Amino acid sequence: MALSLGASKAGKAPALQGIAHRLEAQRAQVCPAGAEPPVHPATIPPPDLRDRHHLDAITLHIATCADLKEALPSVLRELLDMLNGCLDSGAARFATGELCVVHRALGQATHEVISPIGLALPVATRERLQEVVRDIGRDPGARQQVSDMDGAPGGVLIALTDDTDRGETGRGETSDDWLWLGEPTAAVIESGLANVVINTLSRGLALHQQQQARHAEDTKSAVAQALKNERRHLAAELHDTLAQELSYLQMQSARLTRAARHAPQDVQALAEDVHTQARRAFRQTRELINGAHATWGDAPLACVLDNLIEEFETRSGMVFELDNRIQSLHLPDAQALQVMFIVREAMTNSVRHAQATHLRLQLLYQSSGHPPAARVLLTVEDNGCGFDPADIAPAHFGLGIMQDRAHQIGADFAITQPRQGGTRMTLSWERRDT
């Protein structure tokens, strides 16, 4: 017998009546002539299933458990015993493994089959149920259909929770749960008993999903705060120790360079190299300190750029403009940090060296390739005097650092001179926002 699907529990009742008719029709095709029709149980649920307090206790147990794989087997066995106890003597009983939950936990990519305690599905049936649910996940519309699936185990498969977001990698951002009832389900469905089981499981799993999501968010926030505190502690240590020593070394190496002006050529070159390396080390240390204090949390990249503009407006009389054509773009922290450093360096160069009066930042999506692949394009352009990158002296290593940072995040970096004058810095990377 083929597998039938019930509609999702969220927002509407499962399509139980339609499934019941289909199961009855399939049984009629194999029922011998003159055979007695199946005996249906009473339509009024027995006391066990009307015990609201007991069912609420089951729901609460599911919602508050730490691990569904440990809690659900005993819950399912209890519900299975309740169902069998509520059926009339002539009704079909649930046999071994004829009730289970196909569950995918928060953040997991695959489903697993959870059976009642002491019972187990055959391996082939478990694997086929996992395949069916995985195929349904690729077609969200299938969750609201009643259809047959060739090769599927006989019975009814009903969505208990919604799979609202699998994310770009296919890993679920919410949990996803299905209830499978074995072949002798028509009598149970027609009696309305299945509704009680579905409601109990669905409410409990939905609440458990909310609890897990809230716990994951709290954990994420706690880890982020701990990392922020650790970065600030490290920044303070760098500032009070290494940065001070490097500042002194930079000043002394500058004195050494001036003192070596009349020394042999190789001594002058050596003194200049020591001074250059001291400046580089001091600058990189200062950037590490600034980066440790940088915070953006869940703010999109446009907010980071806004903050940079606000920072430079207090230090310069230039006019700054942000042309943002992306509503929301969230980057991983490591990538956002490198982008921020590159943009800050470009803006610093414009303020210090370009003699510019206007600076424009532009953020947009661009397409390239076949088929087009979305890329992010970030442009920093001023109306200053411009320069030729080939004429930059080796001692001015800011441009090299910007190129290194772009390489670290897999971005394309370029410095060009527009026809109208000034300098344009472009940074582009493949769209992989979070």
Side-chain angles (χ1 to χ4, degrees):
M1 189 169 83
L3 182 72
S4 296
L5 296 180
S8 171
K9 168 65 175 65
K12 57 182 72 176
L16 299 180
Q17 193 64 34
I19 297 174
H21 290 322
R22 294 170 64 83
L23 292 173
E24 285 296 331
Q26 290 171 348
R27 281 201 178 88
Q29 294 176 0
V30 297
C31 182
E36 294 184 1
V39 179
H40 301 303
T43 57
I44 300 177
D48 286 355
L49 291 178
R50 287 185 298 181
D51 187 350
R52 198 68 238 170
H53 295 293
H54 184 64
L55 294 176
D56 287 343
I58 294 177
T59 297
L60 183 62
H61 178 58
I62 298 173
T64 58
C65 71
D67 188 349
L68 279 177
K69 290 188 293 184
E70 294 183 0
L72 268 186
S74 59
V75 170
L76 293 177
R77 182 55 190 254
E78 182 177 1
L79 291 174
L80 180 60
D81 291 342
M82 291 171 66
L83 281 172
N84 281 330
C86 291
L87 297 177
D88 288 342
S89 58
R93 290 296 192 270
F94 280 89
T96 299
E98 290 190 336
L99 179 148
C100 70
V101 168
V102 186
H103 168 70
R104 179 176 57 75
L106 180 71
Q108 291 185 348
T110 58
H111 290 77
E112 53 189 325
V113 177
I114 302 177
S115 301
I117 190 170
L119 306 177
L121 284 176
V123 174
T125 303
R126 295 168 66 94
E127 293 177 349
R128 184 57 185 138
L129 280 174
Q130 290 171 314
E131 291 175 4
V132 169
V133 171
R134 184 178 66 246
D135 292 341
I136 293 172
R138 295 170 181 167
D139 178 16
R143 299 172 69 91
Q144 304 298 331
Q145 299 173 2
V146 178
S147 59
D148 292 332
M149 296 187 176
D150 295 335
V156 180
L157 188 66
I158 300 173
L160 295 173
T161 57
D162 282 333
D163 180 19
T164 57
D165 184 8
R166 279 185 178 274
E168 295 182 0
T169 63
R171 295 172 63 85
E173 299 302 327
T174 64
S175 61
D176 183 33
D177 302 281
W178 296 78
L179 173 66
W180 180 71
L181 302 174
E183 183 174 344
T185 53
V188 179
I189 289 174
E190 288 183 344
S191 71
L193 301 179
N195 263 328
V196 178
V197 176
I198 293 168
N199 289 336
T200 301
L201 287 172
S202 184
R203 288 190 302 130
L205 290 169
L207 290 171
H208 182 270
Q209 179 183 119
Q210 295 174 11
Q211 290 289 102
Q212 292 298 103
R214 190 177 298 112
H215 176 70
E217 188 62 31
D218 291 344
T219 302
K220 179 181 177 181
S221 298
V223 170
Q225 185 61 45
L227 289 174
K228 185 186 301 182
N229 293 338
E230 184 63 24
R231 287 202 308 266
R232 289 180 174 176
H233 176 72
L234 177 60
E237 292 293 327
L238 287 173
H239 179 271
D240 295 339
T241 56
L242 185 59
Q244 301 295 336
E245 297 295 332
L246 289 174
S247 177
Y248 174 78
L249 180 60
Q250 180 182 226
M251 291 186 294
Q252 292 298 89
S253 63
R255 292 182 59 190
L256 177 62
T257 301
R258 291 193 296 271
R261 288 176 181 172
H262 303 293
Q265 193 68 30
D266 57 341
V267 175
Q268 293 184 39
L270 180 60
E272 184 63 35
D273 182 58
V274 170
H275 180 51
T276 298
Q277 296 303 324
R279 290 177 56 203
R280 183 191 297 268
F282 178 71
R283 178 170 179 166
Q284 290 177 338
T285 302
R286 294 298 304 177
E287 287 183 348
L288 287 174
I289 294 173
N290 292 335
H293 285 284
T295 57
W296 46 83
D298 292 329
L301 180 58
C303 290
V304 177
L305 299 180
D306 268 328
N307 292 337
L308 282 175
I309 289 177
E310 182 177 352
E311 173 188 337
F312 276 83
E313 281 179 336
T314 62
R315 297 159 39 189
S316 169
M318 289 176 57
V319 176
F320 295 90
E321 173 191 356
L322 175 60
D323 178 13
N324 175 31
R325 304 186 187 182
I326 301 178
Q327 293 298 321
S328 178
L329 176 63
H330 296 263
L331 302 180
D333 286 356
Q335 186 178 13
L337 181 63
Q338 299 299 338
V339 170
M340 184 189 69
F341 278 144
I342 292 171
V343 174
R344 175 180 282 164
E345 178 68 21
M347 296 175 69
T348 299
N349 290 337
S350 294
V351 170
R352 289 182 180 177
H353 310 298
Q355 303 174 19
T357 60
H358 181 272
L359 185 141
R360 181 169 179 262
L361 284 81
Q362 185 179 57
L363 182 64
L364 54 83
Y365 286 130
Q366 65 174 134
S367 297
S368 62
H370 302 284
R375 291 179 64 83
V376 180
L377 176 63
L378 177 59
T379 303
V380 180
E381 184 175 342
D382 64 44
N383 65 345
C385 58
F387 73 99
D388 185 353
D391 296 335
I392 299 299
H396 298 279
F397 42 80
L399 181 59
I401 293 178
M402 294 166 72
Q403 292 172 330
D404 290 342
R405 292 190 184 281
H407 179 72
Q408 290 178 26
I409 60 175
D412 295 330
F413 173 82
I415 296 287
T416 57
Q417 291 182 292
R419 291 183 179 180
Q420 67 273 19
T423 302
R424 177 187 297 142
M425 186 281 295
T426 58
L427 185 71
S428 65
W429 64 90
E430 184 178 351
R431 180 184 177 184
R432 291 179 180 173
D433 49 304
T434 58

